[in-house]
Amino acid sequence: MKKKYAAFEFSNSFWAYLNQPIFDRHYHAIFNPRKFCYQYRVQWLEFCLNRESIELLERCLDCETAICEDHLRSLPSNSPSSH
C-alpha cells in the first residue's frame, strides 16, 4: 500500500514540477526537484489540513444549528392570537 501511495505522490509532484509556469512574473519557479517536491508536500498537507478543518467546522455548525432548532421548537410559542 505504501509503495502505491509513494508512486502516486511522486507522479503528482513530478507532473506539477513539469507544469510550472516558468515565464510567469508572479510565480517563483523552483528548479531543484527535491526542493519542489518538499514544497509540494507542504502545500498539499496545508490544503488537506484546511479542508479537514473546514469540514469539521461545518459539521459542528450543523450540529449547533440542529440543537438550536430543537430548542426553539420545545419553547412555548408567544403568538399574539393566544392573548
Side-chain angles (χ1 to χ4, degrees):
M1 176 83 178
K2 188 173 183 176
K3 288 184 179 182
K4 287 182 181 180
Y5 177 74
F8 177 75
E9 182 180 331
F10 174 75
S11 65
N12 284 345
S13 63
F14 185 67
W15 184 250
Y17 174 76
L18 292 177
N19 285 318
Q20 291 184 86
I22 296 173
F23 299 109
D24 188 359
R25 291 182 184 182
H26 305 291
Y27 181 80
H28 177 68
I30 301 172
F31 295 105
N32 182 342
R34 289 183 187 201
K35 186 175 181 181
F36 181 85
C37 188
Y38 175 78
Q39 289 288 77
Y40 183 83
R41 285 182 190 167
V42 169
Q43 289 174 354
W44 179 253
L45 289 173
E46 288 174 349
F47 169 78
C48 291
L49 180 65
N50 288 336
R51 182 176 176 194
E52 190 163 313
S53 298
I54 289 171
E55 289 174 358
L56 177 65
L57 289 172
E58 287 175 344
R59 282 192 304 243
C60 289
L61 181 62
D62 290 342
C63 289
E64 285 182 11
T65 303
I67 290 169
C68 288
E69 289 174 354
D70 290 342
H71 179 68
L72 289 175
R73 282 189 210 121
S74 67
L75 294 176
S77 65
N78 293 330
S79 61
S81 61
S82 64
H83 289 286

